[in-house]
Amino acid sequence: MSRATSIPQPAGADQPPNEAEAQSPSVRIIDARTAIDELIFAEDPWYALPLERQRELSDALIRQALREHLERCPSYRDYYARSGAAEPGAVALADIPLVSTRVFKFADLRSVEAHEVERWYRSSGTSGQPSRVPRDRASLERMVGSVHGSVGLLADWDEDEVAVINLGPGREHVEDVWFQYVMSLIEALYRSESRVPRDEAALDEIIGLAQSLLDDYEHLIVVGPPFHVLDLCEHMQRRGVELQAGEGATILTAGGWKRFGGRAIPKQEFRAVVARQFGLRGEGQVRDVFNQVELNTVLFECEAHEKHVPPWVHVAARDPETLQPVPEGEEGMLSYLDASCSAYPCFIVTEDVGVVRRGRCACGREGTRVDVLRRLESRAAKGCALKMGQIHANG
Ligand SMILES: [Zn+2]
């Protein structure tokens, strides 16, 4: 992995302002003076580090991010002071004051000047007020770097031998919807084709494309939201098509079910259907990634279907009433402290319920994993967590 990396620009993105950019619009050299950049853009993957080293890095990187946000974000600084938390050098990571993800629906929370915001990204929810989250250059570069540095959790492919079908609108049509931007990053790693499976004709075309790419390439990745992948598999069933991909394909899902129309089937059943229709060697070739607009890091699933969390992110499952971390392996409201985000204090408590595990994974790697189970349902719990995570940011 080189420290020079490129950020695929969504259509209509603001043009970079400085001269170096004008000469080289797609390649940006990272200044890796800081520890977090050393880690994100390292040659050796973070998931090969021993657990103890991951813990040390996590502690140092998150404390450094906390100091920077306290310095640069007045509304977070006020909120922190009111919370009574200990100073950044002494506070336990679990006690760092959290911002509710709801805040991004109404507040302009940022740690950079307005002109340093490359773009405001929004959530892709179909109902209610969308979240709007700022990203500056460094946050976007680290996001891209973290995708490059984590994709090895899927497999160690030679990039010339991989083709991608993205079941989405494709890079050139990505605007300010964060989900589409993230998908375009995965698509950007390899030769790729984008197709929205909007009707039967499009589905037929995708099946044909998958067949020909399987013939021409050593590996095919089909990436998309689970409901699109399921549509494709059901269409194959109707057409009597079963591909013979063997070990030559990975089906990668991203994004939830609910926000996109409500149809959902259990994960195990989903993997079985996909593995059968694509003729995969095993269900380990059906993987998921997790991200949300308020989080600056994409979490990839290993072959044991566990989402490994890199050391620059601290994840905890918390009691919805007290916001205190629950014992390891128990369900709680998920919170993230993401040190890769310089644009805003990415110390967030979400409305997802999940489980956090630390130690050795069934895949053999050490580290922290998170299982995102469902949205928080209880109105009372939501209200309480909201009250505690509410920052009074107003511009
Ligand atoms: Zn694993």
Side-chain angles (χ1 to χ4, degrees):
M1 186 61 53
S2 163
R3 282 178 195 162
T5 189
S6 63
I7 298 182
Q9 285 291 308
D14 293 337
Q15 285 306 303
N18 66 43
E19 276 183 18
E21 291 303 336
Q23 288 161 8
S24 177
S26 64
V27 177
R28 290 158 182 184
I29 307 301
I30 300 290
D31 179 359
R33 280 172 303 183
T34 64
I36 185 155
D37 292 322
E38 294 280 2
L39 181 64
I40 292 179
F41 300 99
E43 298 275 343
D44 299 323
W46 55 266
Y47 47 80
L49 294 169
L51 187 62
E52 207 40 49
R53 180 64 185 143
Q54 293 190 38
R55 277 203 188 117
E56 280 169 18
L57 284 164
S58 193
D59 194 81
L61 297 174
I62 288 159
R63 260 173 233 292
Q64 178 58 27
L66 175 61
R67 285 188 196 96
E68 288 171 11
H69 291 295
L70 286 173
E71 191 183 314
R72 294 175 193 160
C73 182
S75 46
Y76 186 73
R77 186 164 61 232
D78 293 348
Y79 174 64
Y80 194 93
R82 283 199 309 275
S83 76
E87 48 139 337
V91 69
L93 295 188
D95 294 336
I96 291 177
L98 298 167
V99 177
S100 163
T101 49
R102 290 253 162 161
V103 164
F104 297 94
K105 293 182 185 297
F106 63 85
D108 174 7
L109 184 69
R110 56 186 157 81
S111 305
V112 294
E113 298 297 325
H115 71 269
E116 293 174 285
V117 175
E118 290 248 327
R119 188 161 255 224
W120 288 84
Y121 286 91
R122 64 185 164 88
S123 53
S124 43
T126 48
S127 64
Q129 177 83 0
S131 291
R132 286 179 72 255
V133 179
R135 294 261 162 37
D136 64 336
R137 180 75 57 84
S139 303
L140 287 168
E141 282 172 340
R142 288 168 179 169
M143 167 83 186
V144 176
S146 78
V147 168
H148 280 250
S150 303
V151 74
L153 277 167
L154 297 181
D156 191 14
W157 294 304
D158 180 339
E159 63 183 68
D160 296 333
E161 292 165 354
V162 177
V164 175
I165 300 176
N166 175 13
L167 304 177
R171 290 174 62 176
E172 60 274 27
H173 300 292
V174 170
E175 293 181 351
D176 61 348
V177 177
W178 181 248
F179 176 77
Q180 291 177 359
Y181 177 72
V182 172
M183 297 299 277
S184 78
L185 294 182
I186 294 167
E187 176 194 341
L189 295 171
Y190 308 104
R191 178 213 189 263
S192 59
E193 303 269 351
S194 296
R195 300 282 190 281
V196 180
R198 59 171 64 84
D199 54 26
E200 298 228 324
L203 286 162
D204 284 334
E205 195 202 340
I206 292 165
I207 294 170
L209 184 62
Q211 272 167 326
S212 73
L213 292 173
L214 279 169
D215 291 342
D216 294 347
Y217 286 81
E218 217 144 271
H219 206 88
L220 171 67
I221 301 173
V222 177
V223 57
F227 60 94
H228 273 345
V229 172
L230 190 61
D231 278 349
L232 180 60
C233 289
E234 288 175 347
H235 192 70
M236 285 184 193
Q237 258 167 349
R238 282 195 296 273
R239 292 283 193 255
V241 175
E242 278 189 22
L243 299 177
Q244 305 290 326
E247 290 180 341
T250 296
I251 316 305
L252 187 62
T253 56
W257 296 87
K258 247 186 178 171
R259 305 166 208 197
F260 297 92
R263 202 161 61 102
I265 62 172
K267 283 176 193 175
Q268 283 82 353
E269 193 183 322
F270 176 78
R271 289 182 202 133
V273 169
V274 174
R276 186 177 64 239
Q277 290 307 134
F278 278 85
L280 303 178
R281 173 69 70 86
E283 292 175 21
Q285 290 161 250
V286 186
R287 304 284 187 93
D288 189 47
V289 297
F290 178 78
N291 180 257
Q292 60 187 84
V293 67
E294 301 89 356
L295 184 64
N296 204 53
T297 299
V298 180
L299 308 177
F300 284 76
E301 212 172 76
C302 70
E303 55 272 34
H305 300 292
E306 299 248 11
K307 291 185 178 79
H308 286 246
V309 181
W312 57 86
V313 179
H314 179 271
V315 59
R318 295 172 188 257
D319 181 300
E321 287 183 20
T322 64
L323 280 194
Q324 284 304 301
V326 298
E328 195 180 306
E330 288 187 13
E331 289 187 7
M333 271 176 72
L334 293 175
S335 68
Y336 303 91
L337 309 168
D338 186 343
S340 76
C341 182
S342 48
Y344 60 92
C346 188
F347 307 134
I348 55 172
V349 57
T350 72
E351 291 177 9
D352 287 327
V353 175
V355 172
V356 175
R357 295 185 179 87
R358 299 178 211 278
R360 189 171 293 280
C361 177
C363 72
R365 301 176 186 94
E366 291 194 325
T368 304
R369 287 97 60 204
V370 61
D371 193 3
V372 185
L373 296 170
R374 59 179 180 275
R375 303 287 284 175
L376 189 69
E377 300 294 349
S378 152
R379 189 173 280 267
K382 249 187 205 179
C384 182
L386 263 176
K387 203 168 72 192
M388 297 188 72
Q390 198 75 278
I391 181 170
H392 299 283
N394 45 21

